[in-house]
Amino acid sequence: MRISEITQIDSRGRVLIPKSIRETLGLQNGMHVMFIADLEKREIKILPFADPNAKLLEINVTLTDKPGALAKIASTMAKWGVDLLSTQSRTLQRGKSAEWNTIVDVSNCKLRIEELKQKLVKEGEAKNVEIKGFL
C-alpha cells in the first residue's frame, strides 16, 4: 500500500507529516525518526525509529578484529539493559582492529553512562569507546 501527500517545507526546514500518514504508520508526538537521504535518487526516507520515551545515544567502539569480539561487546550491552536499535561495523585492519557504530536506547540501562563505558572496555574487550547523545 502506498499513500502520497504533498506538503511544504517551512522557513526553518520543517515538514509537517500529514495526519493520514502519521495515523497509518502509528507515528506519535515525540517519537524518534531516522532520515535517510539517497543523493543519487534525490529522495529522503523517514523511518519510525524509537518511541518518545527512548533515551538515544550513539556509541562508537574500536575493538580487536577477531571472531567473537563484537558479540562479546553486544552481550555486555544486553547484560546491562542497553537496547541496540541500529548498528554498523567494519574492519579497519584485518586481524588487528575494527570499529562498531551503534545507536542505542539506554532508558532501561542499569548503569550510569561512564560506568557502561568502563564495562565495555573491561568486560567487552573494547579498546576505545566514545558515547554521544542526541538532542
Side-chain angles (χ1 to χ4, degrees):
M1 182 172 135
R2 190 177 189 115
I3 300 173
S4 293
E5 298 267 354
I6 295 177
T7 187
Q8 291 183 317
I9 298 173
D10 73 11
S11 63
R12 294 182 62 193
R14 296 176 297 190
V15 176
L16 176 68
I17 300 171
K19 184 177 180 180
S20 62
I21 293 175
R22 291 192 317 263
E23 288 177 348
T24 301
L25 296 178
L27 300 176
Q28 305 167 21
N29 184 34
M31 185 177 235
H32 299 274
V33 295
M34 177 185 283
F35 285 79
I36 301 172
D38 185 325
L39 303 180
E40 290 176 12
K41 292 182 180 179
R42 295 186 49 89
E43 70 181 19
I44 299 171
K45 291 182 181 181
I46 304 171
L47 305 173
F49 196 69
D51 68 57
N53 298 320
K55 182 178 177 192
L56 301 181
L57 295 177
E58 179 180 354
I59 301 180
N60 300 307
V61 179
T62 306
L63 60 143
T64 303
D65 181 38
K66 66 179 184 180
L70 181 57
K72 192 165 188 179
I73 294 169
S75 293
T76 300
M77 287 188 185
K79 173 182 174 182
W80 297 108
V82 176
D83 186 12
L84 304 176
L85 301 177
S86 175
T87 73
Q88 181 177 358
S89 62
R90 69 183 181 116
T91 298
L92 298 174
Q93 192 172 10
R94 187 89 172 137
K96 294 190 178 184
S97 64
E99 69 178 6
W100 184 41
N101 303 310
T102 183
I103 298 172
V104 301
D105 176 5
V106 293
S107 58
N108 293 315
C109 185
K110 301 171 186 118
L111 301 171
R112 292 189 327 268
I113 300 308
E114 194 55 41
E115 291 174 315
L116 174 63
K117 192 174 178 177
Q118 292 169 2
K119 295 284 185 185
L120 293 174
V121 171
K122 186 177 178 185
E123 296 176 14
E125 298 185 23
K127 289 182 181 178
N128 184 49
V129 179
E130 294 178 12
I131 300 177
K132 296 186 275 185
F134 286 89
L135 296 178

